[in-house]
Amino acid sequence: MAESAGRDRRGGSRGHDGNRGQRRGGPRDTARRGGPGRGRGDRDRPRQDSGAPHAERAGKNLPRRIAWEVLLDVATKDAYANLLLPAKLARTHMGAQDAAFTTELTYGALRRQKFYDAVIEVASSRAIDKIDPEPLAAMRLGAHQLLSMRVPNHAALSETVAVVKRSAAKTAGFVNAVLRRISEAEPAVWLDRVTAEASETTRLAIEHSHPEWVVRSLTQALKGHGRDAAELEALLAADNAPAKVGVSALPGLIDRSELPGEPTPLSPIGVTLDTAVPRDVAAVADGRARVQDEGSALVALALAEVEAPTGTWADLCAGPGGKAAVLGAAAAGEATTLDAFDSSEHRVDLVRDSTQALTNVTAAIRDGREARGPYSKILVDVPCSGLGALRRRPEARYRRRPEDITALTGLQRELLAAALDACAPGGVVAYSTCSPHYAETVLIVDEVLRLRTKSGTADIEILDTPAVLSAITGTEAESFASVTRDGGRYAQLWPHVHNSDGMFLALLRKAK
């Protein structure tokens, strides 16, 4: 999803193989399975953790220091971990093992923050909003190590407290006391304590660290898109499963076989990397490949795949440029050009960086609602709640409010209506969001098409989007199926089914 219409992109989020129905990663599960947060008796077994011993041998405690700084900036400055952490890692030139450890410390503490906060409140006998940000960030960091990682208790305690001593020494004793109390019980015991009198929705919200309104919204989304609401817990757990770094090889510039990593199961141009610093890959640094989730790649590939008249393509909400890069590369293969718009100068700069290896892409500052065309293919990847990308932007779940959905849907309708107006006869519009929320997906497309028909311009055909995705991925179309309308179908990807971001996609053809 992109920024448009004068709204900074941060106001609307973008926003591999499926494990359907499998519970993953919740505090209760990890204690039971012997994974992160395993039983205390298991801690004497040989460990293969995310680099903690290496970090401790280094004597600098840098991974915990960086993780604490990012957690603090996220809490006090509304920073985005997915932007701040990579920059810090790049500056420190960490080895791969320490970088992976730092990444797990940071994202893990953010993903499970609601659960850890409930534990901290009991262990400290204080409300979370009564604890200063510096010690609270350290407690969250320590709680993640104690309850969900294979870090020995003594290291989790002493090294985390050492971080606080450097900047907030007066609170070190408080942090130490709270973490020691947390270490006295297993994750499952803590979960039972903090959910003892909770409703089912509240229990799920705490166990899987999602606000209650998000839990309810995802329940409604599953039902609205035609799936079983019993999948909810698997979906919540998938949001807390660490997402691997995905990279797309831009068609015509490089083949994915030339990139390090494992081929992605859905996207034919993708690989997953083991490194936490993807710009160390030469093709990423020079622009022939882009860091990108499979779901985002499939949105661009689907639009590129559909037949349309010859003519210029457009991306109306292009920032930061990942989809624009794939579309631009595909357009170059068809000897055509791509106009990439965004209303933010900063985000247009990001688009230019993303498409630096392409000569057929023009990036410009423009409100997507002002696009005139005609364009043969248009991507309108609208600003949205980002509820489909919580794996990669875990802090977003705590920043969003139900009223944000209402504020965004008006802009979403306007952008889609403008895209349909700017589309050439016989051309195709792809409407996408990085959210499964029913109000941002099915209801938007339905409403825009209804108003168009009511005004006497019933000129839009809904294509079978799941069939297009099936042809690209080799995966059964029904796994992508959402609502059927007038012989066509919308598509919805799911983290717990496709191990991708939760992208919604509707392909709409304008009559000739």
Side-chain angles (χ1 to χ4, degrees):
M1 176 180 46
E3 188 267 10
S4 183
R7 177 185 297 272
D8 186 88
R9 182 57 209 260
R10 297 308 161 202
S13 296
R14 258 332 212 198
H16 302 261
D17 62 329
N19 291 301
R20 187 184 304 237
Q22 178 180 342
R23 295 186 64 198
R24 296 180 293 178
R28 181 176 295 166
D29 295 327
T30 51
R32 182 187 302 129
R33 289 200 314 269
R38 61 187 177 175
R40 201 173 312 282
D42 290 333
R43 288 178 179 151
D44 295 329
R45 299 176 185 172
R47 296 181 182 87
Q48 294 181 345
D49 57 42
S50 302
H54 179 78
E56 290 155 17
R57 285 196 302 270
K60 298 179 180 179
N61 204 17
L62 190 56
R64 289 182 181 84
R65 176 71 185 181
I66 289 178
W68 178 77
E69 290 175 352
V70 174
L71 293 178
L72 189 58
D73 283 352
V74 167
T76 62
K77 300 178 181 179
D78 283 340
Y80 285 86
N82 66 321
L83 301 177
L84 186 58
L85 180 60
K88 285 181 174 288
L89 292 177
R91 287 197 296 270
T92 59
H93 303 290
M94 275 188 182
Q97 195 176 26
D98 281 352
F101 183 53
T102 308
T103 301
E104 172 55 29
L105 287 172
T106 305
Y107 285 116
L110 287 170
R111 288 187 187 102
R112 306 214 182 274
Q113 180 175 303
K114 187 175 179 68
F115 171 60
Y116 298 149
D117 282 0
V119 172
I120 289 168
E121 283 196 337
V122 173
S124 67
S125 299
R126 294 190 192 180
I128 287 297
D129 60 6
K130 301 300 183 182
I131 301 175
D132 289 340
E134 291 84 358
L136 180 57
M139 291 176 196
R140 289 166 172 167
L141 180 63
H144 182 57
Q145 296 168 74
L146 291 168
L147 300 178
S148 296
M149 294 183 71
R150 300 180 182 184
V151 177
N153 279 5
H154 68 86
L157 288 162
S158 63
E159 300 298 338
T160 302
V161 172
V163 167
V164 182
K165 283 182 177 178
R166 292 185 55 179
S167 300
K170 292 182 179 180
T171 67
F174 177 42
V175 172
N176 183 63
V178 173
L179 292 183
R180 285 191 178 280
R181 185 169 182 200
I182 292 174
S183 72
E184 292 170 358
E186 298 297 326
V189 174
W190 276 115
L191 182 62
D192 288 341
R193 286 180 186 174
V194 299
T195 62
E197 299 178 2
S199 67
E200 178 64 9
T201 298
T202 302
R203 181 191 68 79
L204 288 171
I206 294 174
E207 178 173 1
H208 297 286
S209 287
H210 287 64
E212 290 187 37
W213 78 268
V214 174
V215 173
R216 290 190 292 269
S217 295
L218 292 178
T219 303
Q220 295 166 358
L222 286 165
K223 294 177 181 177
H225 290 287
R227 300 196 70 89
D228 190 339
E231 298 177 34
L232 174 63
E233 196 156 5
L235 174 55
L236 297 174
D239 281 345
N240 291 330
K244 290 187 176 181
V245 177
V247 170
S248 290
L250 298 188
L253 299 184
I254 188 173
D255 188 85
R256 73 170 173 179
S257 62
E258 301 174 59
L259 297 173
E262 293 294 321
T264 49
L266 295 179
S267 169
I269 64 172
V271 300
T272 55
L273 303 180
D274 291 328
T275 178
V277 189
R279 287 194 76 89
D280 288 346
V281 177
V284 174
D286 65 26
R288 292 174 297 146
R290 287 290 305 164
V291 175
Q292 188 173 52
D293 178 76
E294 272 194 289
S296 294
L298 289 176
V299 166
L301 292 173
L303 179 57
E305 178 75 11
V306 179
E307 291 186 6
T310 301
T312 302
W313 299 2
D315 184 346
L316 301 192
C317 309
K323 296 182 186 69
V326 174
L327 271 182
E334 297 192 17
T336 192
T337 57
L338 174 73
D339 288 346
F341 302 138
D342 203 286
S343 59
S344 160
E345 181 177 1
H346 169 64
R347 302 195 71 73
V348 169
D349 288 340
L350 293 177
V351 174
R352 290 176 178 140
D353 179 69
S354 298
T355 59
Q356 61 181 291
L358 300 166
T359 59
N360 66 323
V361 177
T362 300
I365 302 173
R366 183 175 300 172
D367 187 324
R369 294 171 294 183
E370 298 174 357
R372 293 295 177 261
Y375 294 105
S376 65
K377 294 186 179 183
I378 299 177
L379 172 62
V380 53
D381 184 36
V382 297
C384 70
S385 64
L387 297 185
L390 299 183
R391 305 179 311 153
R392 300 185 187 280
R393 293 182 57 191
E395 70 275 14
R397 70 188 75 180
Y398 309 116
R399 292 179 177 170
R400 285 293 177 203
R401 298 292 182 270
E403 53 268 28
D404 295 336
I405 305 296
T406 303
L408 287 164
T409 52
L411 176 60
Q412 291 163 354
R413 284 192 296 269
E414 292 173 2
L415 284 165
L416 176 55
L420 293 173
D421 287 341
C423 186
V428 177
V429 170
Y431 174 85
S432 70
T433 71
C434 190
S435 168
H437 197 294
Y438 200 65
E440 299 184 276
T441 55
V442 172
L443 291 186
I444 293 294
V445 182
D446 282 356
E447 177 68 4
V448 171
L449 296 187
R450 184 187 67 79
L451 291 174
R452 195 173 183 88
T453 300
K454 186 177 180 180
S455 67
T457 52
D459 58 348
I460 304 300
E461 174 194 3
I462 302 170
L463 303 183
D464 190 346
T465 308
V468 176
L469 292 175
S470 178
I472 294 170
T473 64
T475 301
E476 182 184 5
E478 292 307 310
S479 78
F480 304 111
S482 174
V483 171
T484 299
R485 291 284 189 267
D486 300 326
R489 288 192 294 180
Y490 307 147
Q492 179 67 55
L493 279 72
W494 300 94
H496 68 296
V497 176
H498 304 102
N499 204 13
S500 71
D501 289 349
M503 302 298 301
F504 172 83
L505 177 63
L507 295 173
L508 310 170
R509 186 185 299 280
K510 195 170 185 178
K512 293 183 179 180

